[in-house]
Amino acid sequence: MKKSIIVLGLAMLGLTACSQFQEGEGGMQYKIITDNGQPKIKEGDFVSIGAIIKTDGDSLLMSTYETGQPTYMTAQAPNYPGDITSALLKLGSGDSAVFKFNIDSMVARGLPKPEGIDSKFLVYTFKINHVIPKGELTDSLFQAEVEKYIVAEEEKIKNAEAGIIDNYIKKEDLSAKTTASGLRYVIEKEGTGPLAKVGDSITVNYTGHFITGTKKVFDTSIEEVAKKEGGNVYNPQRPYEPITIPVGLGAVIPGWDEAMQLLPEGTKAKLIVPSKLAYGEQGAMGAIAPYTPLAFEIEVVKVTPQKAETPTN
């Protein structure tokens, strides 16, 4: 299969319902939001899911709606009664539901406890976008159907990216400059220090966020920002401080490499980076989906020229 199926670890759409939670197997709690009467997902089926994970305190941990892209998976047999797969098997194409999982129960069954989360439950909401039943299909025919679907969906996402960026800039009322590569940037404070050249080092503070959904922060060098975002963004073991990177040597995404040569020391700027200058068609380890444009707030703290080589006799 061309694209690997992303392992599920998701969900909460922010939908509401009048019904109360029902008790499910293994202590799982759930309520069905929409039931389209379609056949329920079976082991081996391919599923496209819109999802968000929240804590029971309503702290957002992860959402497919931040990237504007679903997650794909192949339904597996439940590892134990009341796990996430058990939840999915209650749904069919077009269905949506909310599920609550007790964190202590999950840990007792061998799953790692989420870091930095002081909650009793993880709350998942799933929206099943599409199901390709495995049924009697051979593996090769099934994989062909799945790949055909994924390719078509990725083409839609790819074609929508330019509009997403334009809408973000318009909604945020940004006067952005555009480089030949397609990088967009806004100078919020013009620095008066030196401009970095290829081979120099640059020290920056940064915050990266998605430009769709709630514009969730996915990474930052600033502790206050990480703490405010909470969830899985803040890591108490991490040192929060400006990072130092070489310029123009491919140590960072292309959009950063280009931007670092445009921003003098002391500059504060916002970058809007199209996916071709970020993580492209591959995405980044499940954290950033393919064809995802990103925004960064950047402060250039210091530019350090590369040391001249000492002549040898």
Side-chain angles (χ1 to χ4, degrees):
M1 191 181 299
K2 178 186 173 188
K3 295 292 180 182
S4 59
I5 301 301
I6 302 173
V7 177
L8 186 65
L10 308 169
M12 173 82 178
L13 288 179
L15 303 173
T16 58
C18 297
S19 60
Q20 298 297 313
F21 279 93
Q22 302 179 57
E23 196 73 25
E25 58 269 40
M28 172 180 66
Q29 299 177 46
Y30 70 97
K31 59 182 174 182
I32 304 297
I33 306 298
T34 304
D35 185 345
N36 276 351
Q38 296 298 308
K40 302 310 178 190
I41 296 165
K42 295 181 176 62
E43 180 183 345
D45 291 351
F46 167 85
V47 190
S48 168
I49 307 168
I52 311 166
I53 299 175
K54 288 187 175 182
T55 66
D56 53 355
D58 210 35
S59 177
L60 178 63
L61 302 180
M62 199 275 264
S63 168
T64 62
Y65 300 93
E66 299 301 331
T67 62
Q69 302 184 36
T71 241
Y72 304 134
M73 66 171 294
T74 298
Q76 306 294 327
N79 289 318
Y80 57 85
D83 70 356
I84 293 173
T85 302
S86 301
L88 288 173
L89 298 182
K90 295 182 181 297
L91 305 175
S93 184
D95 292 352
S96 60
V98 183
F99 298 90
K100 293 173 70 174
F101 300 94
N102 184 286
I103 293 176
D104 289 340
S105 296
M106 295 170 72
V107 171
R109 289 182 167 105
L111 297 176
K113 185 172 183 178
E115 292 185 7
I117 295 176
D118 184 20
S119 296
K120 184 175 181 180
F121 293 98
L122 291 181
V123 183
Y124 290 66
T125 298
F126 295 128
K127 168 67 169 63
I128 308 301
N129 301 316
H130 189 71
V131 177
I132 299 177
K134 175 64 168 67
E136 300 299 320
L137 292 175
T138 64
D139 289 347
S140 59
L141 285 175
F142 178 66
Q143 290 183 0
E145 287 293 313
V146 169
E147 180 161 342
K148 179 182 176 182
Y149 175 80
I150 291 176
V151 168
E153 291 301 298
E154 287 189 346
E155 191 64 22
K156 291 178 188 176
I157 292 166
K158 180 180 178 181
N159 292 338
E161 184 179 346
I164 289 171
I165 292 172
D166 288 342
N167 288 340
Y168 172 76
I169 289 173
K170 182 178 180 180
K171 187 174 181 180
E172 297 294 314
D173 195 24
L174 302 176
S175 298
K177 297 179 181 179
T178 306
T179 70
S181 71
L183 174 71
R184 311 278 189 101
Y185 68 100
V186 179
I187 302 297
E188 297 175 336
K189 174 189 172 185
E190 185 77 53
T192 57
L195 187 66
K197 301 184 295 293
V198 173
D200 292 347
S201 293
I202 190 166
T203 302
V204 298
N205 266 316
Y206 70 93
T207 295
H209 63 81
F210 299 111
I211 68 173
T212 53
T214 61
K215 305 178 183 68
K216 178 177 172 59
V217 170
F218 59 83
D219 191 20
T220 182
S221 64
I222 304 170
E223 186 170 20
E224 310 90 84
V225 174
K227 283 183 173 179
K228 182 178 179 182
E229 192 70 15
N232 55 2
V233 174
Y234 178 62
N235 180 356
Q237 315 286 245
R238 170 183 171 174
Y240 285 92
E241 58 190 17
I243 63 169
T244 299
I245 54 175
V247 174
L249 301 180
V252 288
I253 59 174
W256 267 45
D257 250 348
E258 180 179 0
M260 295 306 105
Q261 299 172 65
L262 299 173
L263 309 176
E265 184 178 286
T267 298
K268 292 184 178 181
K270 179 189 286 287
L271 312 180
I272 301 95
V273 185
S275 66
K276 68 179 181 179
L277 300 177
Y279 296 97
E281 64 176 293
Q282 299 301 322
M285 298 180 293
I288 297 173
Y291 302 115
T292 300
L294 302 170
F296 296 90
E297 278 77 42
I298 298 286
E299 178 188 10
V300 180
V301 177
K302 185 179 180 182
V303 172
T304 305
Q306 63 179 323
K307 294 181 180 179
E309 294 186 6
T310 304
T312 57
N313 294 328

